[in-house]
Amino acid sequence: MNPQVILALAQYMKGTLPFMSGEVIDRRTVVFDAGGARPRFVHQAIHDLESFLWVLVRICMSRKGPGISMGREKELDFNKPGFYDPALSHALVSYFDGTEDVLKESKTTLMQSPELFENNIVNNFHPYFEPFKPLVRQWWNIIILGYMYRAHEFYNIHRHILRIINDALPTLPDESRAEATQKELTRREKRRARLLGTFKSTAPAGNTSISTPPGSPRTSLIITPPLSYQVLHSEQDSPSARKQRPSKRQKM
């Protein structure tokens, strides 16, 4: 592809709005030095790694653990004064649920005022996600260094983010046997079994057999074609049908 075409495409806003970088939403680079020149905006790898961070941040702010019913709805409901958390509600609107203009203003301001990240983001994590705070802080600091200097961190962003994730993994608690995790896994398995049962009950009549591949926890369905389909094709392939079918030489 022509390099000019690649450069033109890289200047368009691409992504899912709540998780976009402020630069991507604004389609302009953020200037940290008031007297500095503004580089031309191009969508880079650092913008994608920032988006990945925003996905993790959203989970840590809006949920209180694993499971389908673990959202923080009560803390976001204005009509529940005993539970409502105005700081959390405002942060989610400012950085995720607001309009394009609101997100652009909030995220570009956050980039230029690093202390806001601790106050507006990290402090609103649910206690369940407390162990993720050091990783998220490091991640954000590397992103900001990349944007500020557009040097080593900017061009090697994947390497840096992978490094801090690998360093953080051994420090995170193993929740695989936790009660909340087990409860959610049980719910998912029951739902899968229920859906599979519904699928079986609505399968076409005929020779239906169920087989489970060796070593596979999943159940697969093998369904033979309907009888009408079998009859039609058996008639087409019968000796009498082949006799009536003109050969290629006769067609010519």
Side-chain angles (χ1 to χ4, degrees):
M1 184 180 287
N2 188 305
Q4 295 299 320
V5 175
I6 295 175
L7 184 61
L9 290 174
Q11 295 178 68
Y12 286 100
M13 183 173 68
K14 301 185 291 292
T16 303
L17 184 60
F19 308 117
M20 283 182 181
S21 161
E23 282 198 348
V24 175
I25 300 174
D26 196 21
R27 292 181 286 280
R28 295 195 309 166
T29 56
V30 172
V31 177
F32 291 86
D33 183 358
R38 187 187 298 274
R40 184 178 184 182
F41 170 76
V42 176
H43 193 128
Q44 301 272 11
I46 193 170
H47 299 113
D48 298 329
L49 269 298
E50 186 187 342
S51 292
F52 190 8
L53 173 62
W54 284 118
V55 173
L56 177 59
V57 166
R58 172 75 189 218
I59 292 171
C60 294
M61 291 177 65
S62 64
R63 302 189 61 76
K64 53 187 178 182
I68 196 170
S69 59
M70 297 297 280
R72 302 175 72 178
E73 288 84 0
K74 288 184 178 180
E75 295 168 78
L76 299 173
D77 189 345
F78 182 78
N79 295 316
K80 295 187 182 298
F83 298 94
Y84 180 63
D85 185 338
L88 173 64
S89 179
H90 182 265
L92 287 173
V93 171
S94 298
Y95 301 106
F96 297 100
D97 300 333
T99 64
E100 182 178 321
D101 288 338
V102 168
L103 300 188
K104 176 178 66 178
E105 178 66 25
S106 299
K107 289 185 175 180
T108 53
T109 301
L110 193 69
M111 292 169 67
Q112 296 169 313
S113 305
E115 70 279 0
L116 292 179
F117 189 80
E118 188 72 24
N119 296 333
N120 297 352
I121 303 297
V122 177
N123 286 348
N124 282 305
F125 279 19
H126 187 272
Y128 180 86
F129 296 101
E130 183 75 24
F132 285 86
K133 287 183 176 181
L135 169 62
V136 169
R137 290 189 187 104
Q138 275 190 292
W139 197 325
W140 180 249
N141 289 336
I142 291 174
I143 293 289
I144 294 303
L145 283 174
Y147 285 133
M148 286 182 69
Y149 299 107
R150 300 190 181 262
H152 181 73
E153 291 83 5
F154 187 86
Y155 294 107
N156 297 276
I157 190 67
H158 284 95
R159 184 184 304 171
H160 287 291
I161 299 305
L162 285 173
R163 172 178 56 80
I164 65 171
I165 290 176
N166 286 329
D167 289 345
L169 285 175
T171 70
L172 298 175
D174 181 8
E175 294 287 331
S176 60
R177 298 185 181 278
E179 182 180 353
T181 303
Q182 291 300 315
K183 184 177 179 181
E184 172 60 14
L185 291 175
T186 301
R187 184 198 66 80
R188 293 182 185 182
E189 185 59 32
K190 288 181 178 179
R191 181 176 182 273
R192 187 184 72 83
R194 185 172 66 253
L195 292 175
L196 186 59
T198 302
F199 181 65
K200 291 177 186 176
S201 65
T202 57
N207 236 353
T208 303
S209 61
I210 302 174
S211 66
T212 303
S216 173
R218 300 281 181 179
T219 302
S220 59
L221 285 177
I222 300 176
I223 302 175
T224 58
L227 183 61
S228 58
Y229 178 90
Q230 299 177 47
V231 171
L232 174 63
H233 283 265
S234 63
E235 290 177 351
Q236 290 177 350
D237 293 331
S238 65
S240 59
R242 284 198 293 270
K243 287 181 181 179
Q244 296 175 8
R245 197 179 299 151
S247 65
K248 293 182 180 179
R249 187 181 298 276
Q250 289 174 335
K251 287 181 181 178
M252 293 174 63

